[in-house]
Amino acid sequence: MSPSPSPPQSHSPPGQGKDQGQCQHPDASTAVTNATTSQACTSILDNDLYKFTMQQAVRQHYPDTPCDYHFTNRSPHIARLPLKSLAWLKQKIDDMAHLHLTPSERSFLETKCPYLTTDYLDWLQHEFRFNPQEQIKIDWRSVPSTVGSTEQDQEAQDQQIDVDITIAGDWHQVILYEVPILALVSEAFFRFGDQDWTYDGQVDLAAQKSKSLCQAGATFAEFGTRRRRDYETQRIVLEGLIAGSPSPAKAGPAGGFLTGTSNLHFAHVMNLTPIGTMAHEWFMGTAAILQDASQANKVALARWAETYPNQVLGVALTDTFTTKAFLATFKGEIAREWIGVRHDSGDAFEFMERMIVHYDEDPLVGPKLRRAKKIVFSDGLNTELAIRLQQRAEEKGIQATFGIGTHFTNDFCHARDPSRSHSAAMNIVIKLRSCRGQECVKLSDDQGKESGSPAAVEIAKQQIATLF
């Protein structure tokens, strides 16, 4: 069962004077081991807000819609799971069957997320349950040893596996799995595979990042659940981010501050604002159901506005079928009404220029209203890039805010030899693969971020070409 929330636990004293990009020597007292108990996914709210907002919208507009998701490791050459992690991973996923929304968690959602309806919360609390035995399939295969490697290298490599994870069921019943499973896969790797790291200095490092962003006038949220090193890392990083940021009330009109976190559990136990709206799957699933990518943006935005009227969650994701296709729909009344847009692929500075021109040339928006529009940047951000984007936004006259993930919750150096290369995070995703028997496609503004079979991708490209 999910635990009652409690105040953040104290953490052993971090290293002194740790600056961003510096590493410290390991301390055995703060090193993680595979015997350490993990608090990951012991609350139904250890997940990102936008999975719940999409679940409510899917339940309203696409009930009883069969779908499936598929896991992909985009960087197997950098990080593969060790075979010895598999039993732990499977057990943690199986244990999700015991999770439910507690009265305290429901009270938190009612207070902090008033756009979640009583009907939805009743269903979530009393009817919804994970059923991993029926909904999750995990297969794996051993990775063969490399010809010519040493006996020791072969032994290590023989223990690595490629894992195949499929999630299947009605969309509203399985939509919450993605983020927890990604977080568990990452934690499994850093618990049983790469153990050359410690928590040392993470609080100081996060606090310094937070201070730098605040001093630059940036508002930012922590978006790091899906690729966090582990649960404890996210907790102590949030401690540091909070320590480095003034409260919104004390930040002043031009001051930056931590706006909140995408993780509902940590928002709950740390009294933060939960942040999030929608993900690519909302548009991907809509396109598959319509069997027409050219109409997906228009319909998905309209149905989202039905579920969340008055622009209560009025930031639109632009790049599912390319920003060019999105902007062919996002104009006139729609562009005027929506609060802003989220950038998640392609060059961020070019995107900003593109949105400014788009707003300025729209007769229902224009330069005056454009200055109040918001761009949420969330693609591969670090402190330096966010500050540069903040400065450019101020120069150009548009609002900017930032969702920062891996840079916050998986920024480590090798502990035994800090001079070595950065301790890389896993590059893993889970994408919606089909809805109602139709293949789902994502095009993106980045080369290599497309998802879907070549044939389905080509059909989607042909469909959106009719917009231009």
Side-chain angles (χ1 to χ4, degrees), residues 428-446:
I428 51 179
V429 296
I430 291 176
K431 291 297 182 185
L432 189 63
R433 186 163 61 179
S434 72
C435 268
R436 289 189 188 167
Q438 300 297 316
E439 187 172 355
C440 294
V441 169
K442 173 175 172 279
L443 298 183
S444 177
D445 290 330
D446 275 339

Side-chain angles (χ1 to χ4, degrees), residues 115-420:
Y115 40 80
L116 298 178
T117 66
T118 298
D119 174 71
Y120 169 69
L121 292 177
D122 284 346
W123 173 82
L124 184 65
Q125 182 175 15
H126 301 298
E127 298 182 43
F128 174 81
R129 295 293 184 271
F130 290 106
N131 185 7
Q133 291 288 336
E134 298 293 329
Q135 296 164 336
I136 307 293
K137 181 181 180 182
I138 301 178
D139 293 319
W140 61 274
R141 65 178 181 85
S142 296
V143 178
S145 60
T146 301
V147 175
S149 61
T150 67
E151 183 177 345
Q152 183 178 8
D153 288 340
Q154 287 179 344
E155 181 180 354
Q157 191 169 16
D158 286 342
Q159 296 175 349
Q160 293 181 341
I161 61 173
D162 283 329
V163 65
D164 187 276
I165 304 174
T166 301
I167 305 163
D170 284 348
W171 195 3
H172 69 289
Q173 294 284 358
V174 298
I175 194 171
L176 296 187
Y177 277 114
E178 175 199 358
V179 173
I181 289 180
L182 288 173
L184 289 172
V185 169
S186 179
E187 183 161 337
F189 175 74
F190 289 106
R191 178 174 287 263
F192 295 90
D194 180 0
Q195 295 179 321
D196 185 17
W197 59 278
T198 76
Y199 300 117
D200 289 352
Q202 284 291 311
V203 174
D204 284 350
L205 179 60
Q208 182 56 53
K209 292 173 182 177
S210 182
K211 289 176 183 176
S212 296
L213 289 163
C214 292
Q215 289 169 359
T219 58
F220 59 97
E222 183 273 312
F223 275 18
T225 304
R226 66 184 53 234
R227 291 179 187 160
R228 67 191 183 194
R229 187 145 296 208
D230 66 353
Y231 172 95
E232 179 68 1
T233 297
Q234 190 170 17
R235 186 188 71 78
I236 62 179
V237 162
L238 277 165
E239 283 187 5
L241 296 176
I242 292 168
S245 170
S247 67
K250 295 181 179 179
F257 59 90
L258 174 68
T259 60
T261 173
S262 62
N263 186 292
L264 282 169
H265 166 67
F266 285 113
H268 182 203
V269 300
M270 292 183 164
N271 193 28
L272 295 169
T273 300
I275 305 292
T277 54
M278 65 186 72
H280 295 106
E281 69 176 287
W282 176 244
F283 298 90
M284 294 166 67
T286 298
I289 291 165
L290 296 174
Q291 299 185 45
D292 187 355
S294 71
Q295 296 301 307
N297 287 317
K298 180 179 180 180
V299 173
L301 292 177
R303 291 178 178 172
W304 190 262
E306 287 179 35
T307 304
Y308 302 105
N310 304 316
Q311 292 300 298
V312 66
L313 294 176
V315 175
L317 184 57
T318 63
D319 66 332
T320 308
F321 301 107
T322 74
T323 295
K324 182 179 179 182
F326 177 85
L327 294 181
T329 294
F330 192 74
K331 54 189 178 182
E333 291 284 351
I334 299 175
R336 184 174 67 177
E337 292 174 3
W338 281 70
I339 294 169
V341 295
R342 179 158 74 92
H343 167 267
D344 201 51
S345 65
D347 184 274
F349 294 94
E350 292 178 3
F351 179 85
M352 186 190 302
E353 294 287 348
R354 190 175 194 174
M355 288 309 307
I356 290 170
V357 171
H358 182 77
Y359 280 134
D360 287 355
E361 291 181 349
D362 192 315
L364 294 187
V365 184
K368 184 176 181 180
L369 290 181
R370 177 256 296 163
R371 293 183 179 89
K373 296 297 184 183
K374 178 188 297 184
I375 300 177
V376 179
F377 293 96
S378 62
D379 180 36
L381 295 175
N382 57 34
T383 306
E384 179 187 1
L385 178 56
I387 290 173
R388 288 172 55 214
L389 286 166
Q390 174 66 26
Q391 292 168 343
R392 182 70 62 85
E394 291 174 357
E395 293 169 4
K396 295 292 184 178
I398 196 165
Q399 303 299 309
T401 190
F402 306 92
I404 304 177
T406 309
H407 177 63
F408 282 161
T409 61
N410 210 328
D411 186 11
F412 287 81
C413 294
H414 294 285
R416 295 186 183 91
D417 184 1
S419 65
R420 289 177 60 197

